[in-house]
Amino acid sequence: MWYMNEDRKLMLNVVKDFVEQEVKPVAMQIDATDEYPVKLFKRAGELGFLGITIPTEYDGLGLDHTTAALIYEEIAKACPVLTVAMGAHSMLAGGMISMLGSHEQKQKYLSKAATGEYILACGSTESAGGDNHVEHTTKAVLEGDEWVINGGKVLVSNIGVADAYVIFAATSEVDPVTRAGISAFVIDKDTPGLTIGAWEHKLGWHGSATGSISFQDLHLPKENLLGQVGGCMMAAAVSCTNEFLTCGPVGLGIAEAAYEMAFQYSLERVQRGLPMYDRFQVTKFKLVKMRTMIEELRGFVYSTYAMKDQGEMVLCEGRMMKIRGSEIAEEICREAIQIFGGVGVIRETGVERFWRDAKVLAIGGASVEALQDFIGTMMRLKKF
Ligand SMILES: Cc1cc2nc3c(=O)[nH]c(=O)nc-3n(C[C@H](O)[C@H](O)[C@H](O)COP(=O)(O)OP(=O)(O)OC[C@H]3O[C@@H](n4cnc5c(N)ncnc54)[C@H](O)[C@@H]3O)c2cc1C
């Protein structure tokens, strides 16, 4: 592949070994039990996968975004939910600390996040709507040397297992266009006033520990503010873009896994004397279409990551990546289940879980429609 080089090949070998030996044996179990994969997550930290782009000064690997994409793609082929936990931790929460944190905050949180010593979560969504920041009600008021926070967040990943939460709260009236007035804070898990809710039972992403957190007169030292008062939304846009970008390689990994399973099955399943692949032209054509879509997505993913590595913001391309990554993954998984026939809908076969994870990919973190809305606005303003 044109985007491979010696360093990336080495890293790919490391992640392939990890996936083969440690992830694949437990992936179905995680889906079945909905247990958060703490052990795998910590192991990913030991191998450097939680701090791929974090500077070495803060115990990350200091590598490029393309290497991160390769790692996310490979893990998603076996266990998409692990990449989701990694995205919330490294890209969303870690991204905010990386961009806005002081040296002390980075030493305290980012270094530990890079190695997996700490698990991070990021709470933005409220019941008024994920994209509807203007009607979010969580507020932070400065009283002397402390911020006092009241409110709550819903559908937050990594809850309960997280050691610290990066959250957003209004510190003044919120500008409906720029969203100025919203500030970011980092809250340690044992801070009085922080209540962690129960995990939701979800269609997919089993094991992502998603649920509500709330704040009742939560007193936070002044120094737990990230960046400037009321001015975190640019950093949020970039960290969200980095998380949306991962949905490209994650969607690609999911699509490749489902396609491979269906292709193998079509060669092994005999129908009236011939493997399905040779017996039914429709099956062969389905697989050709699936493979074509995979190669289209691969091209989009790695060309966009190359732009990112050259320093481009890719605000719209990053959102397109989440849209196409989830759409292509979902379509390929749907067709893969169809090729399997009846056994395709049986959990133990292992193909339907990829469809469930692909479906959630189109909503978790941001709905594809909200992303289209953003891109449409940028196009109207001729900024894209
Ligand atoms: C498994 C999972 C994990 C998640 N993890 C996190 C997390 O770690 N942190 C976090 O903060 N949030 C997280 N979320 C929340 C997620 O970001 C929101 O679910 C998402 O943004 C949609 O918001 P909503 O659920 O409030 O739906 P709503 O905002 O009510 O939207 C419902 C539908 O309305 C449409 N819509 C909404 N806004 C627009 C728009 N602007 N333009 C066009 N159509 C629109 C879309 O079709 C959308 O699906 C997670 C969600 C899930 C399901």
Side-chain angles (χ1 to χ4, degrees), residues 17-44 75 77-82 206-207 350 353-354 357:
D17 279 352
F18 169 61
V19 168
E20 236 9 83
Q21 289 164 25
E22 302 180 57
V23 182
K24 270 191 188 163
V26 295
M28 292 277 284
Q29 189 195 333
I30 293 166
D31 180 61
T33 58
D34 206 1
E35 269 175 36
Y36 189 89
V38 178
K39 211 172 138 200
L40 283 186
F41 195 88
K42 298 279 178 186
R43 185 74 184 117
I75 295 175
K77 287 181 190 171
C79 187
V81 75
L82 182 57
H206 291 177
R353 81 182 161 101
F354 286 111
D357 285 346

Side-chain angles (χ1 to χ4, degrees), residues 182-379:
I182 300 176
S183 304
F185 299 88
V186 58
I187 303 176
D188 291 302
K189 67 173 179 188
D190 44 15
T191 308
L194 173 67
T195 305
I196 313 291
W199 298 1
E200 306 289 357
H201 299 290
K202 312 183 300 301
L203 172 77
W205 291 12
H206 291 177
S208 65
T210 306
S212 304
I213 53 175
S214 60
F215 325 107
Q216 284 105 18
D217 290 329
L218 184 148
H219 286 248
L220 205 58
K222 233 173 151 181
E223 56 269 19
N224 283 38
L225 172 79
L226 288 169
Q228 302 293 315
V229 178
C232 73
M233 287 320 268
M234 197 46 185
V238 175
S239 62
C240 284
T241 302
N242 290 345
E243 201 265 342
F244 299 149
L245 274 168
T246 65
C247 299
V250 169
L252 182 60
I254 292 175
E256 287 172 303
Y259 160 81
E260 272 305 328
M261 286 185 78
F263 181 54
Q264 273 312 312
Y265 187 76
S266 78
L267 298 179
E268 287 159 16
R269 168 81 165 156
V270 175
Q271 291 273 13
R272 283 171 274 153
L274 280 177
M276 268 175 79
Y277 188 86
D278 301 313
R279 166 62 66 200
F280 303 130
Q281 198 183 50
V282 67
T283 304
K284 186 162 56 189
F285 282 11
K286 265 187 201 296
L287 285 156
V288 171
K289 189 177 170 204
M290 289 156 76
R291 183 64 193 267
T292 308
M293 289 167 78
I294 284 171
E295 297 313 327
E296 280 170 6
L297 181 58
R298 193 192 312 283
F300 183 36
V301 165
Y302 286 100
S303 58
T304 306
Y305 268 91
M307 288 163 68
K308 178 81 187 167
D309 280 329
Q310 283 170 1
E312 294 191 34
M313 298 265 286
V314 296
L315 287 178
C316 288
E317 294 89 340
R319 282 158 177 77
M320 288 173 170
M321 192 91 93
K322 181 169 170 75
I323 296 168
R324 290 307 284 151
S326 58
E327 284 174 351
I328 290 176
E330 200 195 332
E331 187 173 341
I332 288 177
C333 293
R334 200 172 57 231
E335 289 292 45
I337 295 170
Q338 198 69 20
I339 288 170
F340 270 88
V343 292
V345 299
I346 295 172
R347 291 212 160 178
E348 286 70 20
T349 305
V351 70
E352 54 79 51
R353 81 182 161 101
F354 286 111
W355 177 79
R356 288 187 281 106
D357 285 346
K359 179 65 236 168
V360 183
L361 199 63
I363 301 170
S367 66
V368 297
E369 292 82 3
L371 300 175
Q372 284 164 339
D373 195 32
F374 177 94
I375 297 165
T377 304
M378 294 295 270
M379 284 164 57

